[in-house]
Amino acid sequence: MIVILQADIAEDSPEYRQVLDYLRHKPNISTRVHREIGAIRTVTEIYVIGDTMTLDQAEVESLPGVERVVRISEDFRVVGRHLNDPRASGFEYHGVRFDQDNLNVFAGLCAVDTPAHVERMMKALRDHGQVCTRMGAYKPRTNPYSFQGHGKACLPWVFELAGKHGIQVIAMEITHDSHLDEIREALEKTGKPTGVMLQIGTRNTQNFELLKAVGRQSEFPILLKRGFGITLEESINAAEYVASEGNHKIIFGLRGMKTNMGDPHRNFVDFAHVPVVRRLTRMPVCIDPSHSVGSRDGSPEGIPDVFHVTAQGVIAGANMILVDFHPAPTQALVDGPQALTLEELPWFLEDVRIARAAYEQRRALAAKR
């Protein structure tokens, strides 16, 4: 059960205390309080855990300061889209809006290599009206001898270049909670010229201690990728781990499943789950076509598979695209064979625009029924 208080009910108000006292005196019931701070109003949500079927919903709703009570049966208490659930979805971070109604493109380097390449990438994004990018500083690799990323050493100049070229949000994977401190320190030293979205990669989707660590902080939003060898439900529960610790700024990423049934693609594309995740949860949905396809191969008409797969996700309603680009793919230290070139960036963005327009037309058509 979720008890949603009226807007701007303060923690020191008598209404707030009365609701909590009422719930805490019920047997076999515990509570957890979350506050959603929005641009217009702040909403307090009380998550009621335990034998909630013994609670009279009408009685709880009659308490002073209560706006609505939502009964839930799914495991996804926080991120789930529940029946008659009025809570707003999405969030704003560093001037960029993330929700289930919009679309943001995060094109960039899978792994940061040189300042020259990073600057060329960010300049190209700026020149084409983009304010988001992906930049990998920490790279978990299957092979222990493969390049693991420059780590904290590259953070200051990556952030400075982002500020120079107007990049507002950088999606950056972390693999350990110590990386949070390294990112904070680098942002402070450079004057916070940009924002960072913490990416939890597919290998860490069930690293529960890391999930709880990023959930306990509210400074950075989270991009959580689906685990490549687990079910969709298990991956959404990983997002619930983050949300249960207090951080609700979560984007759910689809990046393909680890199975040879997807050959010759690197992973079996799972973008048909875009509308499923949007239906089951309130999280914006990201697609990662580069790690799904894993190559620059294209169809007979000359359209790369990465474009086709991206369009599949966008036309299904995706809200974010995480895609690999590189100024010189043959020189990339990680995943060069799948990286698109800077010359292909305007083509890619226009192809995305066409797919998004088709989605909007489909949505308008459905609204007429």
Side-chain angles (χ1 to χ4, degrees), residues 121 296 324-329 339-346 348:
M121 183 72 244
R296 291 179 44 80
D324 289 2
F325 276 79
H326 198 282
L340 299 173
T341 67
L342 298 190
E343 292 73 23
E344 292 170 317
L345 180 61
F348 179 81

Side-chain angles (χ1 to χ4, degrees), residues 148-185:
Q148 306 285 316
H150 289 309
K152 68 177 181 179
C154 73
L155 297 180
W157 51 264
V158 169
F159 295 159
E160 287 173 350
L161 288 171
K164 175 182 176 181
H165 294 287
I167 301 300
Q168 297 300 314
V169 185
I170 300 173
M172 181 171 287
E173 183 171 1
I174 65 169
T175 62
H176 192 271
D177 56 7
S178 63
H179 297 160
L180 280 164
D181 294 330
E182 294 174 1
I183 290 172
R184 284 194 188 100
E185 181 180 355

Side-chain angles (χ1 to χ4, degrees), residues 103-117:
L103 176 62
N104 295 295
V105 177
F106 282 68
L109 276 59
C110 184
V112 169
D113 46 23
T114 69
H117 285 156

